[in-house]
Structures are given as C-alpha cells and as structure tokens.
Amino acid sequence: MKTVRVVAAIIKATNEKGESVIFATQRGYGDFKGGWEFPGGKIEEGETPQQALVREIEEELETEIVVGELLDTIEYDYPTFHLSMDCFWAEILSGDLVLKEHEAAKWLTKDKLDSVEWLPADVTLVEKIRGRM
C-alpha cells in the first residue's frame, strides 16, 4: 500500500470571549469532499514538514503562520493508501484565512470540536487537541 506523507496545522487562536479556538476546514474536492479536517497538504521533495506546512497554508488560505511544536503523527489506513500525517500547533502571523480550496471553515471551541464530521484520520487527533486546549 502506498504511503502518503502530509502535514496538518492545528491553528489556535483566542476568540472575542477569551476562549481558545481551533481552525477547521471542510474539503472542497476529491474522494473526501465535504469532510472536515485540519488544513495542510503533501510534503514535497526536499522540504521539511514545517516548510511544507508554511507553504501549504500560504497556498490554500493566503495566510502566513508560525509553526509550533509537533502534537502528533497520525498513521491511518484508508482503503487505497496509508496516510502519515505530522500535526503541528500553529498560530497566524498575517493574513485573513481566505478559503481557496475549501468549502467552509469554522473556529471551534473545545465544546464544539464534535460539531463537525471529521475525516477518519482526524478523529483521533481531535481527542488529543481537546486534552491540550
């Protein structure tokens, strides 16, 4: 089975009520269209995971981020490929999170993390995030 290496940004901010919130995006294309995930993408040859994440968020959301610590590496078997996803905490440096490839996006508080239909590989990550918010 082919392994696909990707990176994901867990973009954390504080809302107007002072609560921690996490940015979630809804896929706008492909087999998993409509499912919710953390933004990111594939690592290109010669890139570190952190460099790939900065590039992907700039391309997909027109936003510059600061990549923080690695939260987890998720290993998940989809029917046609194995996903290896490095998931990093991130914060916005500049930009307005313009949706170029996604159908929708939401800022979710800890209590609302289960309010969207997460893609299978992201489900286990949500529990780890909940414990760190």
Side-chain angles (χ1 to χ4, degrees):
M1 188 180 296
K2 179 176 84 165
T3 294
V4 177
R5 287 202 61 223
V6 300
V7 287
I10 300 127
I11 301 173
K12 192 174 181 182
T14 304
N15 68 12
E16 61 281 348
K17 296 179 186 173
E19 303 167 305
S20 288
V21 287
I22 300 294
F23 190 70
T25 54
Q26 188 177 30
R27 278 185 80 88
Y29 60 91
D31 292 344
F32 303 102
K33 184 179 190 307
W36 287 82
E37 64 184 352
F38 297 98
K42 291 183 180 151
I43 302 170
E44 293 180 357
E45 193 160 331
E47 282 183 320
T48 66
Q50 292 91 336
Q51 289 168 331
L53 196 52
V54 167
R55 176 186 51 75
E56 285 285 351
I57 299 304
E58 178 66 40
E59 288 174 4
E60 292 181 10
L61 298 168
E62 294 184 5
T63 298
E64 188 179 356
I65 59 166
V66 175
V67 179
E69 71 173 303
L70 178 70
L71 174 63
D72 199 5
T73 299
I74 303 294
E75 303 288 341
Y76 188 86
D77 288 326
Y78 280 101
T80 57
F81 65 95
H82 175 79
L83 183 75
S84 180
M85 180 169 63
D86 291 337
C87 307
F88 292 90
W89 289 106
E91 291 185 2
I92 295 170
L93 196 57
S94 66
D96 295 323
L97 295 168
V98 177
L99 300 183
K100 294 175 83 175
E101 297 183 14
H102 299 94
E103 282 189 13
K106 292 182 181 183
W107 285 101
L108 301 172
T109 61
K110 187 176 185 174
D111 297 345
K112 297 286 185 189
L113 285 174
D114 295 328
S115 68
V116 298
E117 191 72 34
W118 293 104
L119 291 174
D122 293 80
V123 170
T124 52
L125 187 61
V126 169
E127 288 311 308
K128 291 183 192 280
I129 291 168
R130 187 186 325 275
R132 300 277 301 270
M133 280 182 83

